Amino acid sequence: MSKAFDLAGRVAIVTGGNGGIGLGMATGLAQAGAALLIAGRNAAKNAAAVQALAALGAQAAAFEADVSVQAECRALIEAALAKFGRLDILVNNAGTNIRKQPQDYTLDEWKSVLDTNLTSAFLCSQAAYPALQKAGGGKIINIGSMLSIFGAAFAGPYGASKGGMVQLTKSLACAWAKDNIQVNAVLPGWIDTELTRGARRDLPGLHERVLARTPAGRWGDPADFAGIAVFLAGSAADFVTGAAIPVDGGYSTQG
């Protein structure tokens, strides 16, 4: 493997890494040689993810955390340092959605989506900063969405959180470039996950509309995120920062 894509000796945290896109990225990082700490609230899913990563030969562990809580974000970073001795890569992937028309959300629902999707990324990045700085630099990968770009009537809080994720990414990239910390965002298109299966149940015709608009002619798979994770986490991307990269089969290229 080219050294530009070799993550041997590196340690990564992936929030929401026990399934979907998070596990797809964690798998790529593991295959490139990184040790993984998976953060998630579901102990059974955490254990299954660790087992799958260990089967690839990776050092892997899990930590139960609600990353919308500042103290738990700090505990997550401390757990990585205690387990592996360092931290090099943070993937802020934890996310949720509540599908309603804007007028129908409660304030608690708005706050829940924003806290899980956006505030968590800020809190985890802030908690990770001293460890990344001490390591001489590092990588933060934030997970946005096509709704970082487009609007959707049924996803006001989600879209707001994912638009905010791109701007947070740019701010952190500017602030921490001096510390050799690169911060980038990945914008998934329509990916076959538990979250989007729910959307397909709730929104008749969504499946057909996605296929019609996606030049690749299919929904994405979590495995499609292994490569972008390895690229952004390795030295190949040392001069890439503040970017928001669609991984969407061409969906965002269509008018």
Side-chain angles (χ1 to χ4, degrees):
M1 180 186 294
S2 164
K3 286 186 178 179
F5 301 98
D6 184 4
L7 301 180
R10 308 283 179 88
V11 176
I13 291 174
V14 182
T15 71
N18 58 15
I21 290 169
L23 184 55
M25 287 190 144
T27 300
L29 298 175
Q31 289 170 329
L36 273 297
L37 183 64
I38 298 299
R41 289 184 287 184
N42 185 315
K45 285 181 67 177
N46 286 354
V50 168
Q51 186 175 19
L53 295 170
L56 299 172
Q59 287 184 280
F63 187 82
E64 285 186 55
D66 178 349
V67 289
S68 67
V69 177
Q70 186 174 39
E72 296 195 29
C73 293
R74 291 175 175 172
L76 171 63
I77 304 305
E78 291 302 321
L81 297 176
K83 176 71 176 176
F84 298 115
R86 60 183 292 130
L87 179 64
D88 305 279
I89 302 154
L90 171 65
V91 181
N92 286 310
N93 168 73
T96 191
N97 193 11
I98 299 171
R99 285 176 288 277
K100 290 185 176 182
Q101 291 294 305
Q103 66 272 19
D104 296 330
Y105 287 99
T106 66
L107 180 57
D108 283 345
E109 287 172 334
W110 168 271
K111 288 180 176 178
S112 174
V113 174
L114 268 290
D115 285 351
T116 301
N117 294 3
L118 180 58
T119 304
S120 67
F122 169 71
L123 292 174
C124 285
S125 297
Q126 190 180 57
Y129 173 70
L132 297 176
Q133 189 183 43
K134 184 178 179 182
K139 313 287 183 175
I140 298 176
I141 304 170
N142 293 326
I143 307 306
S145 167
M146 282 297 97
L147 295 190
S148 298
I149 304 171
F150 305 117
F154 57 84
Y158 185 86
S161 72
K162 294 302 187 178
M165 190 71 109
V166 171
Q167 296 309 113
L168 175 63
T169 296
K170 292 177 180 180
S171 296
L172 298 181
C174 291
W176 295 344
K178 69 183 188 305
D179 301 295
N180 191 31
I181 298 170
Q182 288 80 50
V183 189
N184 292 288
V186 172
L187 311 185
W190 287 100
I191 312 302
D192 184 19
T193 65
E194 284 183 31
L195 209 59
T196 58
R197 286 174 210 137
R200 275 178 276 181
R201 285 193 302 270
D202 296 345
L203 302 168
L206 175 64
H207 176 68
E208 291 75 17
R209 292 198 300 274
V210 168
L211 291 183
R213 183 168 170 164
T214 304
R218 66 175 177 88
W219 286 64
D221 186 271
D224 291 319
F225 290 82
I228 191 72
V230 173
F231 167 63
L232 291 176
S235 61
D238 280 352
F239 202 57
V240 179
T241 198
I245 303 171
V247 179
D248 65 352
Y251 184 92
S252 59
T253 65
Q254 298 275 63

Coordinates of all heavy atoms in Angstrom, one line a residue, residues 101-154:
Q101 N -43.4 18.2 8.3 CA -43.5 19.5 7.7 C -43.0 20.6 8.8 O -43.2 20.3 10.0 CB -44.9 19.9 7.3 CG -45.4 19.0 6.1 CD -44.6 19.4 4.8 OE1 -44.5 20.5 4.4 NE2 -44.0 18.3 4.2
P102 N -42.4 21.7 8.4 CA -41.8 22.6 9.3 C -42.8 23.1 10.4 O -42.3 23.2 11.6 CB -41.4 23.8 8.5 CG -41.2 23.2 7.1 CD -42.2 22.1 7.0
Q103 N -44.0 23.3 10.1 CA -45.0 23.8 11.1 C -45.3 22.8 12.2 O -45.9 23.1 13.2 CB -46.2 24.3 10.4 CG -47.1 23.2 9.8 CD -46.7 22.9 8.3 OE1 -45.6 23.3 7.9 NE2 -47.6 22.3 7.6
D104 N -44.9 21.5 12.0 CA -45.4 20.4 12.9 C -44.3 20.0 13.9 O -44.6 19.2 14.8 CB -45.8 19.2 12.0 CG -47.0 19.5 11.2 OD1 -47.8 20.3 11.6 OD2 -47.1 18.9 10.1
Y105 N -43.1 20.5 13.8 CA -42.1 20.2 14.7 C -42.3 20.8 16.1 O -42.7 22.0 16.2 CB -40.7 20.6 14.3 CG -40.1 19.8 13.1 CD1 -40.2 20.3 11.8 CD2 -39.5 18.6 13.3 CE1 -39.7 19.5 10.7 CE2 -38.9 17.8 12.3 CZ -39.0 18.3 11.0 OH -38.5 17.6 10.0
T106 N -42.0 20.1 17.1 CA -41.9 20.7 18.5 C -40.5 21.2 18.6 O -39.5 20.8 17.9 CB -42.2 19.7 19.6 OG1 -41.1 18.7 19.6 CG2 -43.5 19.0 19.4
L107 N -40.3 22.1 19.6 CA -39.0 22.7 19.8 C -38.0 21.6 20.3 O -36.8 21.5 19.9 CB -39.0 23.8 20.9 CG -37.7 24.4 21.3 CD1 -37.0 25.0 20.1 CD2 -38.0 25.5 22.4
D108 N -38.5 20.6 21.1 CA -37.7 19.5 21.5 C -37.2 18.7 20.4 O -36.1 18.2 20.3 CB -38.4 18.6 22.5 CG -38.5 19.3 23.9 OD1 -37.7 20.2 24.2 OD2 -39.3 18.8 24.7
E109 N -38.1 18.5 19.3 CA -37.7 17.7 18.2 C -36.6 18.4 17.4 O -35.6 17.9 16.9 CB -38.9 17.4 17.3 CG -39.8 16.4 17.9 CD -41.1 16.2 17.1 OE1 -41.5 17.2 16.4 OE2 -41.7 15.2 17.2
W110 N -36.8 19.8 17.2 CA -35.7 20.6 16.5 C -34.4 20.5 17.3 O -33.4 20.2 16.6 CB -36.2 22.0 16.5 CG -35.2 23.0 16.1 CD1 -34.3 23.7 17.0 CD2 -34.8 23.5 14.8 NE1 -33.4 24.5 16.3 CE2 -33.8 24.4 14.9 CE3 -35.3 23.2 13.5 CZ2 -33.2 25.0 13.8 CZ3 -34.8 23.9 12.4 CH2 -33.7 24.8 12.6
K111 N -34.4 20.6 18.6 CA -33.2 20.6 19.4 C -32.6 19.2 19.3 O -31.3 19.1 19.2 CB -33.5 21.0 20.8 CG -33.7 22.5 21.0 CD -34.0 22.8 22.5 CE -34.2 24.2 22.7 NZ -34.5 24.6 24.1
S112 N -33.4 18.2 19.3 CA -32.8 16.8 19.3 C -32.0 16.5 18.0 O -30.9 16.0 18.0 CB -34.0 15.8 19.4 OG -33.5 14.5 19.2
V113 N -32.6 17.0 16.8 CA -31.9 16.8 15.6 C -30.6 17.6 15.5 O -29.5 17.1 15.1 CB -32.8 17.0 14.4 CG1 -32.1 17.0 13.1 CG2 -34.0 16.1 14.4
L114 N -30.7 18.9 15.9 CA -29.6 19.8 15.8 C -28.5 19.3 16.8 O -27.3 19.3 16.4 CB -30.0 21.2 16.1 CG -30.3 22.1 15.0 CD1 -29.1 22.5 14.1 CD2 -31.4 21.6 14.1
D115 N -28.9 18.9 18.0 CA -27.9 18.5 18.9 C -27.2 17.2 18.5 O -25.9 17.0 18.6 CB -28.5 18.2 20.3 CG -28.9 19.5 21.0 OD1 -28.4 20.6 20.5 OD2 -29.5 19.5 22.1
T116 N -27.9 16.2 18.0 CA -27.3 15.0 17.6 C -26.4 15.1 16.3 O -25.4 14.5 16.3 CB -28.4 13.9 17.3 OG1 -29.2 13.7 18.5 CG2 -27.8 12.6 16.8
N117 N -26.9 15.9 15.4 CA -26.2 16.0 14.1 C -25.1 17.0 14.1 O -24.0 16.8 13.4 CB -27.2 16.3 13.0 CG -28.2 15.2 12.7 OD1 -28.2 14.2 13.4 ND2 -29.1 15.5 11.8
L118 N -25.3 18.2 14.7 CA -24.4 19.3 14.5 C -23.6 19.6 15.8 O -22.4 19.7 15.8 CB -25.1 20.5 14.0 CG -24.3 21.8 13.8 CD1 -23.2 21.6 12.8 CD2 -25.2 22.9 13.4
T119 N -24.3 19.8 16.9 CA -23.7 20.1 18.2 C -22.7 19.1 18.6 O -21.6 19.3 19.1 CB -24.7 20.4 19.3 OG1 -25.6 21.4 18.9 CG2 -24.0 20.8 20.6
S120 N -23.0 17.8 18.3 CA -22.1 16.7 18.6 C -20.8 16.8 17.9 O -19.8 16.5 18.5 CB -22.8 15.4 18.3 OG -23.0 15.2 16.9
A121 N -20.9 17.2 16.6 CA -19.6 17.3 15.9 C -18.7 18.4 16.4 O -17.5 18.3 16.5 CB -20.0 17.6 14.4
F122 N -19.3 19.5 16.8 CA -18.6 20.6 17.5 C -18.0 20.1 18.8 O -16.8 20.3 19.0 CB -19.5 21.8 17.7 CG -18.9 22.9 18.6 CD1 -17.8 23.6 18.1 CD2 -19.3 23.0 19.9 CE1 -17.2 24.6 19.0 CE2 -18.7 24.0 20.7 CZ -17.7 24.8 20.3
L123 N -18.8 19.5 19.6 CA -18.3 19.0 20.9 C -17.2 18.0 20.8 O -16.2 18.1 21.5 CB -19.5 18.5 21.8 CG -20.5 19.5 22.2 CD1 -21.7 18.8 22.9 CD2 -19.9 20.5 23.1
C124 N -17.3 17.0 19.9 CA -16.3 16.0 19.7 C -15.0 16.6 19.2 O -13.9 16.2 19.6 CB -16.8 14.9 18.8 SG -18.0 13.8 19.6
S125 N -15.2 17.5 18.2 CA -14.0 18.2 17.6 C -13.3 19.0 18.7 O -12.0 18.9 18.8 CB -14.4 19.0 16.5 OG -15.0 18.3 15.4
Q126 N -14.0 19.7 19.5 CA -13.4 20.5 20.5 C -12.7 19.7 21.5 O -11.6 20.0 22.0 CB -14.5 21.4 21.2 CG -14.0 22.4 22.1 CD -15.2 23.2 22.8 OE1 -16.0 22.6 23.4 NE2 -15.2 24.5 22.6
A127 N -13.3 18.5 21.9 CA -12.7 17.6 22.9 C -11.5 16.9 22.3 O -10.5 16.7 23.0 CB -13.7 16.6 23.3
A128 N -11.5 16.7 21.0 CA -10.4 16.0 20.3 C -9.2 16.9 20.1 O -8.0 16.4 19.9 CB -10.8 15.4 19.0
Y129 N -9.4 18.2 20.0 CA -8.4 19.1 19.5 C -7.1 19.0 20.3 O -6.0 18.9 19.7 CB -8.9 20.5 19.6 CG -7.9 21.6 19.3 CD1 -7.3 21.8 18.0 CD2 -7.4 22.4 20.3 CE1 -6.4 22.7 17.8 CE2 -6.4 23.4 20.1 CZ -5.9 23.5 18.8 OH -5.0 24.5 18.6
P130 N -7.1 18.9 21.6 CA -5.8 18.8 22.3 C -5.0 17.6 22.0 O -3.8 17.6 21.8 CB -6.1 18.8 23.8 CG -7.5 19.5 23.9 CD -8.2 19.1 22.6
A131 N -5.7 16.4 21.8 CA -5.0 15.2 21.5 C -4.5 15.2 20.1 O -3.4 14.7 19.8 CB -6.0 14.0 21.6
L132 N -5.2 15.8 19.1 CA -4.7 15.9 17.8 C -3.5 16.9 17.7 O -2.5 16.6 17.0 CB -5.8 16.4 16.8 CG -7.1 15.5 16.7 CD1 -8.1 16.1 15.8 CD2 -6.7 14.1 16.1
Q133 N -3.6 17.9 18.4 CA -2.5 18.9 18.5 C -1.3 18.2 19.0 O -0.1 18.4 18.5 CB -2.9 20.1 19.3 CG -2.0 21.3 19.3 CD -2.4 22.4 20.2 OE1 -2.9 22.1 21.4 NE2 -2.3 23.6 19.8
K134 N -1.4 17.4 20.1 CA -0.3 16.7 20.7 C 0.3 15.7 19.8 O 1.6 15.5 19.8 CB -0.8 16.0 22.0 CG 0.3 15.4 22.8 CD -0.2 14.7 24.1 CE 1.0 14.0 24.8 NZ 0.5 13.4 26.1
A135 N -0.5 15.1 18.9 CA 0.0 14.1 18.0 C 0.8 14.8 16.8 O 1.3 14.1 16.0 CB -1.2 13.3 17.4
G136 N 0.8 16.1 16.8 CA 1.4 16.8 15.7 C 0.6 17.1 14.5 O 1.0 17.5 13.4
G137 N -0.7 16.8 14.6 CA -1.7 17.0 13.6 C -2.7 15.9 13.5 O -2.6 14.9 14.2
G138 N -3.7 16.0 12.6 CA -4.7 15.0 12.5 C -5.7 15.3 11.5 O -5.6 16.3 10.8
K139 N -6.7 14.5 11.4 CA -7.8 14.6 10.4 C -9.2 14.6 11.1 O -9.4 13.7 12.0 CB -7.7 13.5 9.4 CG -6.3 13.2 8.8 CD -5.9 14.3 7.9 CE -4.5 13.9 7.3 NZ -4.1 14.9 6.2
I140 N -10.0 15.5 10.7 CA -11.4 15.4 11.2 C -12.3 15.3 9.9 O -12.1 16.1 9.0 CB -11.8 16.6 12.0 CG1 -11.0 16.7 13.3 CG2 -13.3 16.6 12.3 CD1 -11.3 18.0 14.1
I141 N -13.2 14.3 9.9 CA -14.1 14.1 8.8 C -15.5 14.3 9.3 O -15.9 13.5 10.1 CB -13.9 12.7 8.1 CG1 -12.4 12.5 7.7 CG2 -14.8 12.5 6.9 CD1 -12.1 11.1 7.3
N142 N -16.2 15.3 8.8 CA -17.6 15.5 9.2 C -18.6 15.0 8.1 O -18.3 15.2 6.9 CB -17.8 17.0 9.4 CG -17.0 17.6 10.6 OD1 -16.8 16.9 11.6 ND2 -16.5 18.8 10.4
I143 N -19.6 14.4 8.5 CA -20.6 13.9 7.6 C -21.8 14.8 7.4 O -22.5 15.1 8.3 CB -21.1 12.5 8.0 CG1 -19.9 11.5 8.3 CG2 -22.0 11.9 6.9 CD1 -18.9 11.4 7.2
G144 N -21.8 15.4 6.2 CA -22.9 16.2 5.8 C -24.0 15.4 5.1 O -24.3 14.3 5.5
S145 N -24.5 16.0 4.0 CA -25.6 15.4 3.3 C -25.9 16.1 2.0 O -25.4 17.2 1.8 CB -26.9 15.4 4.2 OG -28.1 15.1 3.5
M146 N -26.7 15.5 1.1 CA -27.2 16.3 0.0 C -28.0 17.5 0.5 O -28.1 18.5 -0.2 CB -28.1 15.4 -0.9 CG -27.3 14.5 -1.8 SD -26.3 15.3 -3.0 CE -24.7 15.3 -2.2
L147 N -28.6 17.3 1.7 CA -29.3 18.5 2.3 C -28.4 19.5 2.9 O -28.9 20.5 3.5 CB -30.4 17.9 3.3 CG -31.5 17.1 2.7 CD1 -32.6 16.8 3.7 CD2 -32.1 17.7 1.4
S148 N -27.1 19.4 2.7 CA -26.2 20.5 2.9 C -26.3 21.4 1.7 O -25.9 22.6 1.8 CB -24.7 20.0 3.0 OG -24.6 19.2 4.1
I149 N -26.8 20.9 0.6 CA -26.9 21.7 -0.6 C -28.3 22.0 -1.0 O -28.6 23.2 -1.4 CB -26.3 20.8 -1.8 CG1 -24.8 20.4 -1.5 CG2 -26.3 21.6 -3.1 CD1 -24.3 19.4 -2.5
F150 N -29.2 21.0 -0.9 CA -30.6 21.2 -1.3 C -31.5 21.4 -0.1 O -31.2 21.0 1.0 CB -31.1 20.0 -2.1 CG -30.2 19.6 -3.3 CD1 -29.5 18.4 -3.4 CD2 -30.1 20.5 -4.4 CE1 -28.7 18.1 -4.5 CE2 -29.3 20.2 -5.4 CZ -28.6 19.0 -5.5
G151 N -32.7 21.8 -0.4 CA -33.8 21.9 0.6 C -34.7 20.7 0.5 O -34.8 20.1 -0.6
A152 N -35.4 20.4 1.5 CA -36.5 19.3 1.5 C -37.6 19.7 2.5 O -37.3 20.1 3.6 CB -35.9 18.0 1.9
A153 N -38.8 19.7 2.0 CA -39.9 20.1 2.8 C -40.1 19.4 4.1 O -40.5 19.9 5.1 CB -41.2 20.0 2.0
F154 N -39.6 18.1 4.1 CA -39.9 17.2 5.2 C -38.7 17.1 6.2 O -38.7 16.2 7.1 CB -40.2 15.8 4.7 CG -39.1 15.2 3.8 CD1 -38.0 14.6 4.3 CD2 -39.2 15.3 2.4 CE1 -37.0 14.1 3.5 CE2 -38.2 14.8 1.6 CZ -37.1 14.2 2.1

